[in-house]
Amino acid sequence: MINFMKVLIIGGTGTVGKAVIEELNGRHEIIVASRTGGDIQVDIENEASIVEMYKKLPKLDAVVVTTGGRGGHVAPLTEMSVEDYRVGLDSKLLGQVNVVLKGIEFMNEGGSFTLIGGASGAQDVVPQLSNFFMVNAALEGFVTAAATELPKSLRINAVCPTVITESMPAFGSYFRGFSSVPSREIAMAFSKSIEGVQTGQNYNLS
């Protein structure tokens, strides 16, 4: 029997977020946060915005991030600059890290964080996406390490799809030969993290 939970979904107005809501709806109370819509607004690149969001909410049982913010900068390696790499670092990586760090005190005992990663394996590198691969690998490392130190019996996992089926029109040209992952399947991995018992896991979907 799965206990009823208060679940915050950051990025709940996006493709993956909507799929996660559909998967969890009816079993839990869902609170949707996004930059411009949802039940509450938040900018994960802004620490003060994250803190203000948490202060307006009840104690939570699960925090889910289904948005990578601005994601990362797309360009050949020889055209990248340190500032270009900071796009992914500040948004997808540090934005999600801050959601965890600032959220700990607002979580109920035994709650969970589920973040969103992506392609990071060295054997499946995609040209022009070094920013994304760097950020995704760092995020996986954070999840693995943070799981050993979280207080209050909190858990943390990440769902790491390669390319989302619904995003193929925009990103398919970068992922020739890759199998896409439908948002419905991605949502099931989020459910596994939220409603399961595992921690420190990176669910790689391809």
Side-chain angles (χ1 to χ4, degrees), residues 119-179:
S120 64
Q123 296 181 8
D124 281 325
V125 172
V126 176
Q128 300 188 46
L129 297 184
S130 62
N131 192 186
F132 289 82
F133 275 73
M134 179 186 74
V135 166
N136 291 336
L139 186 70
E140 290 187 18
F142 170 73
V143 166
T144 301
T148 68
E149 295 190 62
L150 281 172
K152 298 162 59 174
S153 298
L154 297 174
R155 298 182 299 107
I156 183 170
N157 299 297
V159 177
C160 308
T162 49
V163 59
I164 304 167
T165 300
E166 291 87 342
S167 298
M168 285 297 282
F171 294 102
S173 61
Y174 294 102
F175 289 89
R176 299 297 186 194
F178 284 75
S179 297

Side-chain angles (χ1 to χ4, degrees), residues 43-61:
D43 176 2
I44 66 171
E45 291 187 47
N46 185 311
E47 184 174 311
S49 177
I50 294 171
V51 172
E52 187 64 23
M53 172 194 69
Y54 278 126
K55 287 181 177 179
K56 293 177 180 177
L57 297 174
K59 286 279 188 175
L60 300 165
D61 300 297

Side-chain angles (χ1 to χ4, degrees), residues 11 27 54 81 100 109 112 164 166-167 186 203:
R27 300 198 297 273
Y54 278 126
S81 68
V100 174
E109 184 86 15
S112 69
I164 304 167
E166 291 87 342
S167 298
I186 297 170
Y203 302 119

Side-chain angles (χ1 to χ4, degrees), residues 1-104:
M1 182 76 176
I2 298 171
N3 293 328
F4 176 83
M5 291 184 277
K6 288 184 172 64
V7 181
L8 171 67
I9 301 180
I10 300 174
T13 58
T15 300
V16 175
K18 289 177 180 177
V20 174
I21 292 171
E22 184 176 349
E23 169 65 28
L24 300 177
N25 216 12
R27 300 198 297 273
H28 307 290
E29 178 183 340
I30 307 296
I31 304 167
V32 176
S34 72
R35 187 186 291 267
T36 57
D39 302 308
I40 190 167
Q41 282 71 57
V42 65
D43 176 2
I44 66 171
E45 291 187 47
N46 185 311
E47 184 174 311
S49 177
I50 294 171
V51 172
E52 187 64 23
M53 172 194 69
Y54 278 126
K55 287 181 177 179
K56 293 177 180 177
L57 297 174
K59 286 279 188 175
L60 300 165
D61 300 297
V63 172
V64 176
V65 185
T66 61
T67 176
R70 293 178 291 159
H73 186 76
V74 179
L77 181 68
T78 54
E79 297 177 12
M80 292 288 288
S81 68
V82 169
E83 290 304 317
D84 292 331
Y85 279 110
R86 285 201 175 102
V87 174
L89 289 172
D90 289 342
S91 57
K92 188 171 187 180
L93 178 59
L94 295 180
Q96 294 193 83
V97 168
N98 242 342
V99 166
V100 174
L101 296 179
K102 300 305 177 185
I104 291 172

